[in-house]
């Protein structure tokens, strides 16, 4: 029977990890090993989890909160690579490379994490071919997402990038609903970097879309009155 190990906030660790595609099909004894290797981390808003160049001893699962993965630059700017939310993981690829992290990770809000040590993961890989396949599938999906990002930055206009992001985060539960509410997950400044835009360009596009009646902006809350119209805009 899998251990009922819980976090300090009362979250059942086996249930949490079992909700991740990577661990969803583990046998109880395999889950025991992962649970035993899990260590909690609590970060305050703005706190660094690791810096570029730090060694990778495993990977992380966000229990609650939000992490920013970014590349620093000599000019003091940064390029946001990814924004990681609850029930998402990160750091798996670097764990296998035996190289330091090429990015830094910072908590955007107070964040609760689990760190999964790499030794437990490597033991599972040696013992379970299906686990290895799921791990490869997850890494392949992450790579596909990064390739799509590069394609977006090089082939799509600034407006198309922002519209694409809004459409990606629009509710998809009911295709008959044409008016939707979208809450931006973080600040516009960080999202601008994520989309490879300057903050000024990001704000200008939001203003133009608002002026055109395509969206309504109130802080981080975006209302799309006509989802079908937004989908066909600027094609």
């Amino acid at each position: 029977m899998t251990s009922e190990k819980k976090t300090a906030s009362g979250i059942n660790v086996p249930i949490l990890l079992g909700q991740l595609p990577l661990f969803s099909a583990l046998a109880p004894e395999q889950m025991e090993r992962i649970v035993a290797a899990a260590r909690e981390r609590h970060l305050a808003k703005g706190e660094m989890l690791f810096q570029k160049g730090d060694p990778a001893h495993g990977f992380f699962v966000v229990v609650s909160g939000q992490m920013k993965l970014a590349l620093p630059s000599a000019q003091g700017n940064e390029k946001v690579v990814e924004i990681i939310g609850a029930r998402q993981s990160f750091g798996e690829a670097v764990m296998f490379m035996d190289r330091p992290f090429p990015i830094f990770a910072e908590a955007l809000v107070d964040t609760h994490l689990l760190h999964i040590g790499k030794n437990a993961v490597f033991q599972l890989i040696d013992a379970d071919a299906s686990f290895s396949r799921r791990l490869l599938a997850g890494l392949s999906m992450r790579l596909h997402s990064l390739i799509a990002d590069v394609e977006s930055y090089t082939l799509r206009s600034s407006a198309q990038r922002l519209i694409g992001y809004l459409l990606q985060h629009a509710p998809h539960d009911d295709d008959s609903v044409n008016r939707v509410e979208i809450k931006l997950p973080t600040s516009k400044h960080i999202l601008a970097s994520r989309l490879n835009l300057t903050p000024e360009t990001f704000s200008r596009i939001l203003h133009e879309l608002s002026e055109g009646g395509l969206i309504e902006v109130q802080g981080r809350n975006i209302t799309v009155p006509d989802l079908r119209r937004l989908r066909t805009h600027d094609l």
Side-chain angles (χ1 to χ4, degrees):
M1 181 177 179
T2 304
S3 168
E4 292 299 309
K5 177 177 178 180
K6 293 186 177 182
T7 66
S9 57
I11 294 175
N12 188 298
V13 176
I15 291 178
L16 171 67
L17 294 179
Q19 293 171 346
L20 299 176
L22 179 59
F23 298 127
S24 61
L26 290 186
E29 63 272 16
Q30 294 173 323
M31 181 62 81
E32 287 275 6
R33 298 180 195 172
I34 295 297
V35 170
R39 297 292 181 268
E40 291 186 71
R41 290 287 305 272
H42 293 270
L43 301 178
K45 178 181 178 180
E47 188 175 350
M48 290 288 182
L49 176 64
F50 55 77
Q51 296 278 5
K52 178 181 178 182
D54 286 350
H57 300 299
F59 72 99
F60 298 90
V61 177
V62 178
V63 179
S64 62
Q66 199 174 64
M67 296 297 299
K68 174 181 71 178
L69 308 183
L71 289 164
S73 73
Q75 294 74 31
N77 299 320
E78 62 182 38
K79 170 63 183 81
V80 177
V81 176
E82 202 164 1
I83 299 168
I84 307 293
R87 304 301 193 268
Q88 291 182 292
S89 61
F90 62 98
E92 300 95 326
V94 181
M95 176 180 66
F96 291 105
M97 297 168 63
D98 197 25
R99 298 175 71 177
F101 284 109
I103 55 176
F104 69 83
E106 177 186 352
L108 291 174
V109 296
D110 292 350
T111 299
H112 181 190
L113 301 162
L114 290 178
H115 177 260
I116 312 297
K118 65 180 181 181
N119 288 339
V121 178
F122 289 170
Q123 290 170 7
L124 264 181
I125 290 173
D126 292 338
D128 186 350
S130 65
F131 175 79
S132 301
R133 288 193 294 270
R134 289 195 300 278
L135 185 59
L136 284 172
L139 293 175
S140 297
M141 289 176 64
R142 189 71 58 84
L143 177 60
H144 179 78
S145 176
L146 291 173
I147 292 173
D149 279 351
V150 173
E151 181 182 28
S152 174
Y153 300 154
T154 55
L155 299 180
R156 303 177 74 186
S157 69
S158 299
Q160 286 172 333
R161 271 177 259 166
L162 180 48
I163 290 172
Y165 181 86
L166 293 176
L167 293 175
Q168 181 183 354
H169 288 79
H172 297 288
D173 298 336
D174 187 348
D175 290 338
S176 66
V177 176
N178 200 35
R179 181 183 177 90
V180 298
E181 306 285 338
I182 302 168
K183 184 174 179 61
L184 299 180
T186 187
S187 71
K188 294 171 185 175
H189 180 85
I190 291 173
L191 288 178
S193 178
R194 176 70 182 85
L195 296 172
N196 210 32
L197 303 172
T198 65
E200 295 77 15
T201 300
F202 187 94
S203 295
R204 175 180 56 79
I205 296 170
L206 280 183
H207 179 73
E208 290 174 352
L209 294 176
S210 181
E211 286 288 301
L214 290 160
I215 62 173
E216 300 164 7
V217 182
Q218 190 170 21
R220 284 166 52 181
N221 296 308
I222 309 290
T223 299
V224 181
D226 190 336
L227 196 59
R228 298 183 188 91
R229 184 181 170 209
L230 184 64
R231 286 194 184 107
T232 58
H233 180 72
D234 200 28
L235 292 179

